[in-house]
Structures are given as C-alpha cells and as structure tokens.
Amino acid sequence: MFSVSIIGFGNRGSLYTKYLAKSKEVEIVAVCDLSQEVLDFAKKEYSIKEENLFKSEEEFFEKKRSDVLIIATLDRLHRRQAERAMKLGYDILLEKPVADNFEDTVAVKELAEKYGRDAVICHNLRYTPFYQKFKTLISEGVIGDVLSVEQSENVAYHHYMLSFVRGNWRKESETSPIILQKCCHDLDIIYWLIGKKCTKISSFGSLDFYNKQNRPDYATDTCVDCKKVDCAYNSVEFHTKYPGGIIPEGQEKSRENVINVLRSGHRNARCVFNCDNDVCDRQIVNMTFEGGITANLIMHGFAAPFTHRITKVYGTKGAIEGNINEGTVKVSIFGQEPYVIDVKKEMADNSHLGGDSKLVSDYIEYKNNNSKPLGISYIADSVYSHKLAFKAEESRLNGGKEMEVE
Ligand SMILES: NC(=O)c1ccc[n+]([C@@H]2O[C@H](COP(=O)([O-])OP(=O)(O)OC[C@H]3O[C@@H](n4cnc5c(N)ncnc54)[C@H](O)[C@@H]3O)[C@@H](O)[C@H]2O)c1
C-alpha cells in the first residue's frame, strides 16, 4: 500500500487518478491545481478532504503529504516541482517531457540522485500491448538481431490543429520543440526497442502549411465569422461535435454554447492560418546506433482520420511491423509464412491504446511488490531518449547537420 498526491489535475493528472482509484492498494491523499473547478471535482469524485485540496503550490509544498507525487502540470513547471517534491522526500511519477530544455532534464536526474528518490517518467507508449509485443518478440530473438527501425508518427490534422496550432504546444518559446513534445515517445520507443546507444543523428523539418502565408482570401480571423463552413478546421463545427474540450463541466453542450464560448475570445476560435504557432508541421530524423543499426522517424500533422503510429523493425531473421491503431503485429520470418498477432483484446481501455491504464497498474505493482515492469522508464533512460530529441532539434536548426550523440 502506498499513498499518492497529484499536482496538475488536468487531462493527465485526472486520468491517472481515475485508474489509481480503482486499486485498493493506493490511497489518494491530496490534489493541487490552480483551478477551483478542478479541485471541486477532485473532492467530489475521490472524497479528498478539504484540507488536502490546494490552489497554491507554495502551500502544497509546505510539507510532504504522501509517498508518491504525480506531477502532471505543463512542461515548464516540471523541473521546479520535481525538485521541491524530491527535496521533501517524495518519489515522483513525472509526466513527459521531463522538462522543456535539456539542462533542466538533466537536472531532474541529478536531483533524484542527490535526494535518493525514485523518479519514473510517463512514457505510456511503452505500456501499450502493441509495443510490449514488439519488445517481447525482439527480446526473445524472434527476428534475430535488430538491424533497422522505421517509425512514423502520423498526427491527425484535427489533433495537430488543437494542440500545435491553437493549443498549449503551438509555440516553441512557450513550451518546447514538437520533436520533444510529441515525438519524445517515438524516440524513446526506438531507443527502447533497439536497446543500444545512438551514435549520430540528423534532422530536417519546417512549418510550411499551418501558417499565415497559406491563409485563403475568404478566411476571417475567427471561424465564428467565416463563411467557409465546410473548412476542415472549422472550430464551430468541430466543437459542436466534440464540445467537451471547451464547454465547462455542468453546462449544456449545445451548439449555441459552443458559439458563445468561441465568441468570447477562446483561442480555439482562431483560423488555423491566423495563429501565432511556430512549431514544425513536419519533421524527419535519421539515426545510427551502436553496431551500425539504423533508424528513422517521420512526424507530420496531416493524417486522417486519426493519429496513428506505424512501426517496422527489421532483423537478421525477419521483420515485425504494425499500425498501433489496428492492434495487430505482423511477424515475417525469412522463408516462412508471415503471421499476425492480435493485441486488440488487451487494448480494452482505449486511452492511449491501453498504455495509460497499464502504466498505472504496472506502477502500482512496482511500488507495492518491487516488480520491474517491462516498460518502466527510470529518469536516466528518459534523459537519454530526450537527449535524442534535443540533438535532433539542434541538427534541424543547423540545416540538418550530422550531430554526434556522446
Ligand atoms: N504521456 C502522454 O502521452 C501525454 C499526453 C498529453 C500530455 N502530456 C503531458 O502531461 C502534462 C499535462 O498535460 P495536460 O494535457 O494534462 O494539461 P492540462 O492543461 O489539461 O492540465 C494541466 C493542469 O495543471 C494545472 N496547473 C497549472 N499550473 C499549476 C501549478 N503551478 N500548480 C498546480 N497546478 C497547476 C492547470 O490548472 C491544469 O489543470 C504536460 O507536461 C504534457 O506534456 C503527456
């Protein structure tokens, strides 16, 4: 049995809590978030005592309140809150990215060492049945030695628009480069599957579509006033279909309310060709690993209908490949009939294709029984895979220059 508190009770923090609350082996003690609405929800849903709800980070960190702290605030707060937590003696379960810059990323690892605390990073893709199958097959030597990996991160146009054109992660100066924010999972998966160090890396990428140069003549500043109702990025139509993202809990999720919220100056009202975004809408990364293993990653914001990842791993005896959304893994061994392994049943919970619930259940096992989950990412591993993202970005900003990864 262990106790847990959560700082940052938004999408991620509340989701982890929902899974933790299903276990009798965990006590949920305290929640800290700037939003009163969120705190009210946490109190009602998880019977958290009034004195354990905090609107102020300062008050929350006055003392240690549980064994573990989940840190699920936005990226640039991670380092500060991780430091405060570990200094007080918390073990932490920290959302990715560890921090929005490499210096702070390394600092979190050093602070964990200094204070002797356990820091685990939420690389939930590792816990999906899809990637667990890849990892197991590779570890069992089914395709021999790994020679090459191809990874594509195909971000759906609506997902890209919400997060990277209009949303929290649109500006590098306010968050981090998309190759870290979105693709630290992919670089981590490549590193985890190969299980060796990267030696060289290069990257190209740009923002060439979702920008003001491509603004159509007819477009108005916001979708609310735009006559082009069949535009794929029309926020009135999008949020009428998915009102949860902008209509506060307890309010009627009607079209009229969607329009009122968007008219009140909500950032999602903005035309996608009239925003202040600057992160890449496409990027590619090439890598070599120890032993001459090659890998590449392609990321773009133009997929439909949904965001999906496709992974192919080639070895000395055959290949493993699949599209994570389809929930199947195809194994082709030289000279044999290919076969398909269905992992859909294990993806029963759809949040991140089964990765989120498994991350939480494995973490509970790890804390209570000292087990070592297949997917666990200790801070040192995450620092390494984040380093690949920072190096890739450095290369991109230097015209694709080949970078050594020491
Ligand atoms: N593992 C994944 O696949 C995945 C997916 C999405 C987001 N993330 C990461 O999770 C983190 C949270 O993202 P999210 O989508 O839940 O964001 P969110 O905006 O929904 O939630 C963040 C919450 O933090 C609260 N907050 C802000 N400042 C605070 C402070 N000083 N003290 C306490 N609370 C504060 C906000 O009120 C909000 O409720 C980010 O680091 C993001 O990169 C990870």
Side-chain angles (χ1 to χ4, degrees):
M1 181 88 181
F2 66 98
S3 57
V4 61
S5 299
I6 303 98
I7 186 162
F9 205 75
N11 292 325
R12 306 297 304 165
S14 62
L15 183 76
Y16 291 134
T17 309
K18 184 178 92 179
Y19 293 128
L20 286 165
K22 290 182 182 165
S23 169
K24 293 191 175 65
E25 300 298 310
V26 182
E27 186 195 0
I28 298 165
V29 178
V31 171
C32 174
D33 196 289
L34 302 182
S35 154
Q36 187 58 46
E37 194 186 333
V38 154
L39 293 178
D40 292 344
F41 172 77
K43 179 180 174 184
K44 188 166 138 242
E45 200 69 16
Y46 302 108
S47 312
I48 294 168
K49 292 183 193 143
E50 188 66 42
E51 66 264 31
N52 285 334
L53 295 167
F54 299 89
K55 231 175 152 174
S56 142
E57 183 183 327
E58 299 305 317
E59 265 180 59
F60 175 74
F61 282 118
E62 272 170 9
K63 63 173 189 176
K64 185 179 175 206
R65 301 177 190 278
S66 55
D67 303 314
V68 169
L69 179 64
I70 296 182
I71 302 176
T73 49
L74 293 182
D75 315 352
R76 63 178 35 191
L77 300 179
H78 290 180
R79 183 229 152 115
R80 179 178 85 208
Q81 294 176 343
E83 178 165 8
R84 291 181 132 179
M86 293 192 289
K87 198 169 175 184
L88 280 173
Y90 282 102
D91 287 338
I92 59 169
L93 180 61
L94 174 63
E95 253 307 352
K96 56 58 50 182
V98 173
D100 61 353
N101 63 77
F102 192 56
E103 198 188 343
D104 283 348
T105 304
V106 173
V108 173
K109 172 176 162 284
E110 290 172 353
L111 287 160
E113 286 159 3
K114 176 175 168 188
Y115 294 115
R117 300 321 316 171
D118 178 38
V120 172
I121 311 306
C122 297
H123 282 296
N124 42 4
L125 266 198
R126 288 186 178 202
Y127 297 84
T128 57
F130 179 80
Y131 284 116
Q132 298 239 318
K133 185 56 74 183
F134 269 72
K135 182 69 179 170
T136 307
L137 291 167
I138 291 168
S139 305
E140 288 169 351
V142 172
I143 57 164
D145 296 332
V146 172
L147 299 173
S148 196
V149 178
E150 260 179 69
Q151 173 79 359
S152 67
E153 153 70 303
N154 310 285
V155 186
Y157 67 99
H158 47 84
H159 177 176
Y160 186 88
M161 139 193 121
L162 275 181
S163 295
F164 301 103
V165 181
R166 293 172 171 149
N168 277 340
W169 295 285
R170 69 191 187 282
K171 271 178 90 89
E172 195 168 322
S173 55
E174 287 175 11
T175 57
S176 52
I178 194 166
I179 201 69
L180 177 75
Q181 174 52 232
K182 192 79 190 91
C183 301
C184 68
H185 284 310
D186 300 277
L187 292 164
D188 180 70
I189 284 290
I190 292 170
Y191 166 56
W192 183 55
L193 293 182
I194 291 175
K196 293 192 171 149
K197 293 279 160 80
C198 178
T199 51
K200 286 180 182 166
I201 191 163
S202 71
S203 178
F204 293 99
S206 59
L207 169 68
D208 268 324
F209 181 67
Y210 295 108
N211 60 23
K212 290 186 178 163
Q213 283 85 325
N214 288 320
R215 181 174 171 166
D217 293 340
Y218 58 76
T220 47
D221 287 355
T222 74
C223 299
V224 188
D225 301 310
C226 194
K227 299 276 176 290
K228 180 89 175 138
V229 287
D230 61 348
C231 170
Y233 309 104
N234 185 317
S235 55
V236 175
E237 299 308 320
F238 182 81
H239 287 295
T240 298
K241 208 165 164 193
Y242 304 106
I246 57 167
I247 303 278
E249 272 308 314
Q251 285 187 26
E252 200 198 334
K253 299 197 170 21
S254 63
R255 185 180 180 87
E256 193 188 345
N257 277 348
V258 165
I259 293 174
N260 287 341
V261 170
L262 292 175
R263 248 195 217 296
S264 70
H266 196 287
R267 68 184 183 195
N268 287 13
R270 292 177 300 170
C271 171
V272 289
F273 301 107
N274 184 41
C275 289
D276 55 350
N277 54 313
D278 61 15
V279 297
C280 291
D281 56 23
R282 70 209 70 175
Q283 189 159 356
I284 55 172
V285 183
N286 286 324
M287 289 160 276
T288 55
F289 284 73
E290 289 165 344
I293 299 166
T294 53
N296 67 9
L297 164 65
I298 169 169
M299 181 287 305
H300 63 87
F302 311 108
F306 302 114
T307 295
H308 60 283
R309 290 179 160 95
I310 296 174
T311 304
K312 299 180 183 178
V313 181
Y314 301 95
T316 49
K317 294 183 186 167
I320 313 172
E321 60 193 293
N323 172 335
I324 189 168
N325 290 36
E326 289 169 4
T328 52
V329 176
K330 183 176 168 192
V331 184
S332 312
I333 304 301
F334 301 159
Q336 297 178 18
E337 269 303 297
Y339 59 95
V340 171
I341 304 170
D342 195 330
V343 295
K344 284 195 280 293
K345 282 193 293 295
E346 297 157 58
M347 290 163 49
D349 189 309
N350 202 33
S351 175
H352 279 112
L353 301 147
D356 289 331
S357 55
K358 178 85 169 128
L359 182 153
V360 171
S361 59
D362 279 8
Y363 188 75
I364 294 172
E365 267 285 298
Y366 164 67
K367 278 294 179 203
N368 280 331
N369 302 326
N370 219 7
S371 63
K372 183 173 185 293
L374 181 64
I376 195 156
S377 180
Y378 300 111
I379 179 73
D381 280 336
S382 295
V383 169
Y384 188 78
S385 60
H386 280 35
K387 182 184 198 167
L388 302 184
F390 288 110
K391 283 279 175 192
E393 188 61 3
E394 197 181 335
S395 166
R396 185 185 78 82
L397 294 172
N398 285 284
K401 186 176 164 199
E402 178 182 295
M403 312 294 296
E404 302 276 339
V405 185
E406 68 285 354

